[in-house]
């Protein structure tokens, strides 16, 4: 239904893991503390405090790829979102940005097997289940599919995106921005 309401642009950059784990990008305590403001904090297995830190998760990995997808919204859609409430915007975002997020995360997950002991970093919070099993006091239902995000493991996604991909993450206040960005990774 919303297929023509947005376009995507993909960016890929090869990167050495040691570049990620410098103090400029890897600020585990600071980044993970900022996660406390997120509504998913402590409620999903993929987020702090349940997520590992980058140095542990990426231990033994030497190289990888940053993969960013910009989701460009058509101007009419941006204008329309100015009149929507937050619930309506969320429904629209799931039909556009959310659709691209699922494709990106599933693609990175599928590519893990193509690399020796590859590990994907998800674009954002895990959304494999409607309600995370953590909220029910249970173990993850799909550990083979669940992956952590850059922020969740203590990496500064805004700086990584700007420095390695030359891209700015935009934030919308009253409407969708010109584009939203998803950033995932694959490391081996």
């Amino acid at each position: 239904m919303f297929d023509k309401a947005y376009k995507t642009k993909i960016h890929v950059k090869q990167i050495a893991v040691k570049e990620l784990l410098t103090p400029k990008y890897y600020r585990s305590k600071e980044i993970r503390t900022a996660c406390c403001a997120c509504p998913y904090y402590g409620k999903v297995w993929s987020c702090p405090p349940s997520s590992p830190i980058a140095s542990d998760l990426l231990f033994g990995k030497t190289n990888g790829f940053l993969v960013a997808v910009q989701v460009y919204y058509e101007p009419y859609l941006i204008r329309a979102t100015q009149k929507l409430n937050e619930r309506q915007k969320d429904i629209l975002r799931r039909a556009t940005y959310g659709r691209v997020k699922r494709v990106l995360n599933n693609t990175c997950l599928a590519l893990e097997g193509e690399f020796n002991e590859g590990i994907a970093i998800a674009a954002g919070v895990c959304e494999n289940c409607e309600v995370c099993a953590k909220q029910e006091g249970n173990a993850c239902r799909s550990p083979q599919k669940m992956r952590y995000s850059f922020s969740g493991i203590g990496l500064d996604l805004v700086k990584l995106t700007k420095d390695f991909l030359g891209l700015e993450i935009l934030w919308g206040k009253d409407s969708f921005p010109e584009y939203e960005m998803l950033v995932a990774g694959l490391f081996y």
Side-chain angles (χ1 to χ4, degrees):
M1 177 175 175
F2 292 105
D3 291 348
K4 296 185 193 265
Y6 66 93
K7 295 178 176 117
T8 59
K9 185 173 182 181
I10 301 169
H11 309 267
V12 179
K13 174 79 174 182
Q14 191 166 14
I15 184 170
V17 171
K18 66 181 179 182
E19 292 181 83
L20 288 178
L21 298 180
T22 64
K24 183 175 183 179
Y25 306 109
Y26 182 42
R27 299 188 329 273
S28 182
K29 187 174 181 178
E30 179 185 344
I31 300 295
R32 289 166 56 99
T33 298
C35 288
C36 292
C38 177
Y40 296 107
Y41 182 84
K43 294 182 180 172
V44 295
W45 285 114
S46 66
C47 291
S50 301
S51 57
I53 57 174
S55 57
D56 291 345
L57 184 66
L58 299 176
F59 182 79
K61 310 293 183 233
T62 55
N63 293 300
F65 299 94
L66 294 177
V67 183
V69 180
Q70 290 173 291
V71 180
Y72 283 90
Y73 296 109
E74 292 295 331
Y76 75 86
L77 188 66
I78 295 170
R79 285 190 303 275
T81 61
Q82 293 172 351
K83 298 173 184 155
L84 300 178
N85 63 40
E86 289 307 312
R87 184 180 157 278
Q88 292 167 323
K89 287 178 189 175
D90 187 54
I91 291 168
L92 184 56
R93 185 172 278 115
R94 287 178 188 269
T96 55
Y97 175 89
R99 183 178 182 196
V100 176
K101 177 181 175 179
R102 285 187 297 279
V103 170
L104 175 60
N105 286 338
N106 288 335
T107 300
C108 288
L109 189 63
L111 287 171
E112 278 184 347
E114 300 299 317
F115 295 87
N116 185 26
E117 297 187 33
I119 183 82
I121 303 295
V125 66
C126 177
E127 295 176 346
N128 290 319
C129 301
E130 193 167 321
V131 175
C132 183
K134 182 170 179 128
Q135 293 181 44
E136 301 162 348
N138 296 318
C140 179
R141 293 181 196 96
S142 303
Q144 72 284 1
K145 289 176 61 179
M146 190 273 292
R147 294 297 179 270
Y148 307 102
S149 70
F150 284 105
S151 299
I153 61 173
L155 291 165
D156 188 327
L157 183 62
V158 173
K159 283 186 181 177
L160 284 172
T161 304
K162 183 173 182 165
D163 292 356
F164 291 101
L165 297 165
L167 301 170
E168 295 284 336
I169 294 178
L170 303 181
W171 309 97
K173 185 176 177 182
D174 298 322
S175 66
F176 285 6
E178 175 189 357
Y179 65 83
E180 290 185 286
M181 189 158 0
L182 295 152
V183 184
L186 181 61
F187 298 92
Y188 54 94

